[in-house]
Amino acid sequence: MDDDEVDEQRRYDYRVTTHLDAYHDGEEEAANDRNKYLADDTTNPEHLITQAEDEAQHQNMLDKLTKAMECLLPQQKELFKKVYLEKRSNTDIAAEEGVTEAAIRGRLKKLQERLRKILS
């Protein structure tokens, strides 16, 4: 093959032979004619930018929360763990610690206020 034939073959190989709407048409067997160039969403710049921004915001919030948790007292950390991670009820925690449920609610309110103050 000479250079002209190679170039012609290359143009033929890269030519989009399906309609742009073909990616959305058909299922199973009919999906074989879908446009393979539209199937790859990893090259969508808008999607990549928003994904990077979301990841950055999420990481920023995790960093803030980690710093805020370091500022809590040990008993506040334990209460946070019991309420938010273990999903235990205030009544259950109060019975375990030998205090009233109102005392647990008060501690939880102080904990939330302290976190709100640190995170703002």
Side-chain angles (χ1 to χ4, degrees):
M1 291 172 69
D2 65 1
D3 288 342
D4 291 332
E5 291 173 336
V6 170
D7 288 343
E8 178 64 31
Q9 184 63 40
R10 188 176 299 136
R11 281 192 295 276
Y12 179 78
D13 290 341
Y14 289 110
R15 185 180 64 208
V16 177
T17 57
T18 56
H19 191 271
L20 291 177
D21 292 331
Y23 181 68
H24 299 288
D25 294 36
E27 292 187 20
E28 296 178 16
E29 289 297 321
N32 292 335
D33 66 343
R34 287 186 176 164
N35 188 336
K36 64 182 178 183
Y37 299 104
L38 296 178
D40 184 15
D41 201 25
T42 60
T43 58
N44 181 345
E46 182 180 355
H47 175 71
L48 294 174
I49 290 170
T50 55
Q51 183 180 6
E53 288 174 350
D54 291 345
E55 289 173 4
Q57 282 181 329
H58 181 71
Q59 189 60 43
N60 186 24
M61 183 53 84
L62 286 177
D63 292 343
K64 284 183 178 180
L65 186 57
T66 302
K67 289 178 184 175
M69 291 299 290
E70 291 171 358
C71 296
L72 295 178
L73 300 172
Q75 61 246 69
Q76 288 177 324
K77 288 180 187 179
E78 188 65 28
L79 181 61
F80 182 91
K81 183 178 123 185
K82 289 176 183 178
V83 172
Y84 295 107
L85 301 179
E86 297 174 3
K87 306 279 189 207
R88 293 175 56 190
S89 68
N90 292 352
T91 309
D92 184 35
I93 298 169
E96 178 185 308
E97 294 185 9
V99 296
T100 64
E101 184 182 358
I104 297 298
R105 283 195 310 264
R107 292 177 190 175
L108 193 56
K109 184 176 179 180
K110 286 179 184 178
L111 167 72
Q112 291 167 345
E113 288 173 359
R114 187 164 187 170
L115 284 175
R116 190 175 296 117
K117 181 179 176 184
I118 295 169
L119 290 174
S120 63

